[in-house]
Amino acid sequence: MQIFFTILLIFVVIIFLAGTFRAFMMSKKSVALIEKYQHDKKNPQLIQDIFSSISGDFLLRRILIKNNATVDDIAKLHKKLLIFGDFRKYNRYIPITSFFNTNTLEYLLTHKDDDAKSLTEKMMNHFHF
């Protein structure tokens, strides 16, 4: 019985470390994009970089597939978020960071037809702006 609990504990620790590593890597990608496009926010390559980054992540890719999201959806949402959320707080920038979190990406894609203000307010509340 003690061996079972030891194996279970090791398994839980591995899952925790894998989740922490994934969160760190997504944050690192997000901050890199924020830094790269800090002075060129309307560059179309930014949308391509966001889409390729979130398509490369297992959890975020599942959300994209579930909602049949395309690059155009990401571009439209990014444009809406730029209207009211074009400011940075530490390593968070609403028009970019919102796509790198599973909860916010899910919300954005399911409410993509909502107005810009309500989407931005929801993202600002999520990230504690």
Side-chain angles (χ1 to χ4, degrees), residues 42-63:
K42 297 186 181 191
N43 188 338
Q45 184 60 39
L46 171 61
I47 304 303
Q48 293 294 331
D49 289 348
I50 290 172
F51 191 78
S52 65
S53 293
I54 61 179
S55 296
D57 182 64
F58 175 72
L59 295 175
L60 297 176
R61 181 177 54 237
R62 288 179 59 196
I63 295 170

Side-chain angles (χ1 to χ4, degrees), residues 113-126:
D113 296 326
D114 290 1
D115 64 304
K117 186 174 182 180
S118 66
L119 285 175
T120 307
E121 284 178 352
K122 183 72 172 179
M123 296 303 109
M124 290 172 68
N125 287 336
H126 180 81

Side-chain angles (χ1 to χ4, degrees), residues 51-101:
F51 191 78
S52 65
S53 293
I54 61 179
S55 296
D57 182 64
F58 175 72
L59 295 175
L60 297 176
R61 181 177 54 237
R62 288 179 59 196
I63 295 170
L64 289 176
I65 292 169
K66 176 183 167 187
N67 292 291
N68 297 320
T70 62
V71 176
D72 292 334
D73 293 333
I74 301 299
K76 289 175 188 173
L77 288 167
H78 181 264
K79 188 175 179 180
K80 284 183 180 184
L81 293 173
L82 267 176
I83 295 170
F84 292 104
D86 190 16
F87 54 90
R88 184 174 176 177
K89 181 179 179 185
Y90 306 114
N91 286 333
R92 292 186 219 131
Y93 178 63
I94 296 293
I96 294 176
T97 309
S98 300
F99 297 105
F100 288 88
N101 184 295

